[in-house]
Amino acid sequence: MRLAAALGASLLLAACASATALTTLLNANGRACYYADVDGVGEKIGFYFAVQSGGQFEIDFVVMDPNDKVILEGEKERQGDFIFTGKTLGEYSFCFANEASNTDKLIDFDIMVESEPRRVLSGSAAPLKEHTSALEESTYKLSGLLSSITRTQKYFHTRHHRNYSTVQSTKSRMFWFTVLECVAIVGMSLLQIWILKTFFSRGGRWVTRWYRRC
């Protein structure tokens, strides 16, 4: 029974956080906003984004509170990972702007809202806390480790996309450079043939004229 109660407490603690992991394609010269509700003063809000493809992997962003006060903003940022405290109840906005670019951008981002204080169970909370404190600490440690692993996976995912884009760009440049080189070689060959043909044609005419005069 104690183990079941402890597991129930850990589930309640896990329910304190809500997160949204999304991928969006932002069109050229476009703007997109996403929203998260904060229903308690002092809640921690996490915001992560990374540009996966498009142009120079740069994007403008701005985060505002329910009173339209700017909390975070940046221009031509490739990625960001922020945590701040929500001091106002209501709807927070997270906006991306691609207005200065002519290419589409693929963006991965997370919005997390987490209550800072831990929930306390009613009734048998005091005796239950003695048996669940160690489990709570282990749960939070595991949650932190999982978050770290998730961030690392996202980092490598972003690097993979960017490196792949660089490889594709280099491949395209090499292809067109090779095509231009082939065209130049063929052009030089044709030019040499024309020069040699013209030279011998004029030389033959000069020899014929000299023979007739003699």
Side-chain angles (χ1 to χ4, degrees), residues 83-103:
I83 297 177
F84 59 93
T85 302
K87 299 179 180 180
T88 306
L89 300 181
E91 193 174 62
Y92 286 71
S93 62
F94 305 79
C95 298
F96 298 101
N98 193 29
E99 299 171 349
S101 176
N102 295 323
T103 59

Side-chain angles (χ1 to χ4, degrees), residues 87-139:
K87 299 179 180 180
T88 306
L89 300 181
E91 193 174 62
Y92 286 71
S93 62
F94 305 79
C95 298
F96 298 101
N98 193 29
E99 299 171 349
S101 176
N102 295 323
T103 59
D104 298 342
K105 303 291 179 63
L106 183 66
I107 307 172
D108 285 350
F109 66 96
D110 288 345
I111 300 173
M112 181 185 68
V113 179
E114 183 176 9
S115 299
E116 190 173 28
R118 301 184 181 182
R119 295 187 179 180
V120 179
L121 298 179
S122 59
S124 59
L128 182 60
K129 188 174 182 60
E130 297 178 359
H131 302 283
T132 60
S133 57
L135 181 60
E136 289 179 21
E137 296 300 328
S138 299
T139 303

Side-chain angles (χ1 to χ4, degrees), residues 6 40 55 61 67 71 86 105 117 125 129 132-134 136 155 186 190 207:
F61 75 94
N67 298 323
I71 300 175
K105 303 291 179 63
K129 188 174 182 60
T132 60
S133 57
E136 289 179 21
Y155 170 77
V186 172
L190 294 176
V207 172

Side-chain angles (χ1 to χ4, degrees), residues 32-173:
C33 293
Y34 301 87
Y35 303 91
D37 289 325
V38 175
D39 54 4
V41 177
E43 289 188 346
K44 295 294 183 180
I45 303 172
F47 176 52
Y48 166 84
F49 72 91
V51 182
Q52 301 295 333
S53 64
Q56 299 297 322
F57 305 96
E58 297 176 342
I59 199 71
D60 300 338
F61 75 94
V62 60
V63 179
M64 294 185 293
D65 65 5
N67 298 323
D68 293 334
K69 180 182 178 181
V70 175
I71 300 175
L72 299 170
E73 64 178 340
E75 295 182 355
K76 297 182 179 180
E77 298 287 343
R78 293 191 169 190
Q79 64 185 60
D81 192 357
F82 309 96
I83 297 177
F84 59 93
T85 302
K87 299 179 180 180
T88 306
L89 300 181
E91 193 174 62
Y92 286 71
S93 62
F94 305 79
C95 298
F96 298 101
N98 193 29
E99 299 171 349
S101 176
N102 295 323
T103 59
D104 298 342
K105 303 291 179 63
L106 183 66
I107 307 172
D108 285 350
F109 66 96
D110 288 345
I111 300 173
M112 181 185 68
V113 179
E114 183 176 9
S115 299
E116 190 173 28
R118 301 184 181 182
R119 295 187 179 180
V120 179
L121 298 179
S122 59
S124 59
L128 182 60
K129 188 174 182 60
E130 297 178 359
H131 302 283
T132 60
S133 57
L135 181 60
E136 289 179 21
E137 296 300 328
S138 299
T139 303
Y140 276 97
K141 288 181 180 180
L142 289 176
S143 177
L145 292 174
L146 288 176
S147 298
S148 177
I149 293 173
T150 301
R151 292 287 191 242
T152 303
Q153 288 179 337
K154 290 178 180 179
Y155 170 77
F156 284 113
H157 181 66
T158 302
R159 290 295 301 270
H160 168 73
H161 275 279
R162 293 177 181 174
N163 292 337
Y164 180 76
S165 178
T166 302
V167 169
Q168 290 295 106
S169 177
T170 305
K171 181 180 177 181
S172 177
R173 292 179 181 179

